[in-house]
Amino acid sequence: MIAECLVVEFRVTDDDCPLADATREVGTSVDAQPPLLRRDGNALLHFSSPSEAVGEYLDEDDRIRYLHRTAADGRWNYRCLAKEACVVHSLVDVGFLVDSIHLRDGTERFVGAVVGQDVLDQVLAAAGETVGVSLERISSLRAHEDTPVAQRWDVTPRQSEAVEAAFRLGYFSVPREVTARDVADELGISKSAFLERLRRAQATFFGHLFDDG
């Protein structure tokens, strides 16, 4: 049995896939589920964005078919078929278990896992052969990382989303890289709604950290 499992994060630039092009042209973000590759080479995509303009842009992209959109909680959810495989599939083919994909202004971030050093070496070799793919982080997979943040810390999914977006965009950096308004815009909610979710999540986190019981 292979005991070692590693969390790996890649950053992708200069990709010309439809979603990267859409976020680059519209100036917004997209959160995507791992794409499903069909035998014919087409990919099934499921993603969301705070911007309806993403859908409007993709409507004019000949590489996208059957685009379906719905709106909920200030975000747009999309499903469609892309006529070509995504960059991430070159990593998946050699053992990368992709968990999440985030795109912003044309730059992509893949987070996932690899099992064993041999698989990691193959994934890194594949990344080196793909234009614009760079390794950002490797860390050991801890037991709790197989459990969603919301479940681990007893915060709501919306609070978890607010904290994750704030961390990813640099809201907690010193000096701070973005404002509360920037993070709220990323989530498609008001500044006050973002700050309320963030404070409620922080209160829960601190309650766990400093609970004498």
Side-chain angles (χ1 to χ4, degrees):
M1 177 181 293
I2 299 176
E4 184 180 33
C5 191
L6 302 171
V7 176
V8 184
E9 178 179 340
F10 291 101
R11 183 173 181 266
V12 184
T13 56
D14 302 324
D15 189 8
D16 61 354
C17 77
L19 294 188
D21 285 346
T23 60
R24 186 182 298 114
E25 292 299 321
V26 177
T28 188
S29 64
V30 159
D31 288 296
Q33 295 184 10
L36 302 177
L37 186 62
R38 304 197 323 182
R39 290 183 179 180
D40 60 5
N42 293 334
L44 301 174
L45 307 181
H46 183 192
F47 55 96
S48 67
S49 173
S51 173
E52 185 180 9
V54 168
E56 296 171 352
Y57 180 89
L58 292 175
D59 270 334
E60 304 300 320
D61 192 323
D62 294 336
R63 297 170 293 176
I64 295 295
R65 301 178 62 193
Y66 312 124
L67 182 67
H68 178 267
R69 73 195 81 187
T70 57
D73 297 327
R75 291 184 67 86
W76 290 86
N77 300 302
Y78 300 94
R79 292 174 174 82
C80 65
L81 182 145
K83 293 183 179 179
E84 56 190 43
C86 305
V87 169
V88 71
H89 285 122
S90 63
L91 307 180
V92 171
D93 286 344
V94 291
F96 180 54
L97 304 170
V98 58
D99 287 325
S100 66
I101 299 174
H102 178 79
L103 303 92
R104 183 178 179 84
D105 298 334
T107 298
E108 301 161 74
R109 183 173 65 100
F110 304 152
V111 178
V114 296
V115 180
Q117 184 64 44
D118 290 344
V119 176
L120 175 62
D121 292 342
Q122 295 177 49
V123 171
L124 293 179
E129 296 172 358
T130 304
V131 176
V133 179
S134 60
L135 178 66
E136 293 289 295
R137 175 174 65 100
I138 298 179
S139 61
S140 296
L141 181 70
R142 296 181 293 272
H144 64 70
E145 288 185 328
D146 274 337
T147 307
V149 171
Q151 184 176 339
R152 290 203 309 267
W153 293 93
D154 297 326
V155 297
T156 69
R158 290 182 180 179
Q159 290 167 9
S160 175
E161 179 186 42
V163 172
E164 194 276 336
F167 177 78
R168 170 167 41 80
L169 296 175
Y171 183 76
F172 298 119
S173 299
V174 180
R176 185 167 285 170
E177 298 176 7
V178 294
T179 66
R181 169 60 64 189
D182 294 331
V183 183
D185 289 344
E186 170 83 2
L187 295 169
I189 60 178
S190 68
K191 175 182 174 181
S192 60
F194 161 67
L195 289 174
E196 179 180 354
R197 294 177 189 180
L198 183 63
R199 288 166 183 158
R200 288 181 181 274
Q202 288 175 322
T204 300
F205 294 157
F206 294 149
H208 283 292
L209 290 174
F210 301 119
D211 184 359
D212 291 337

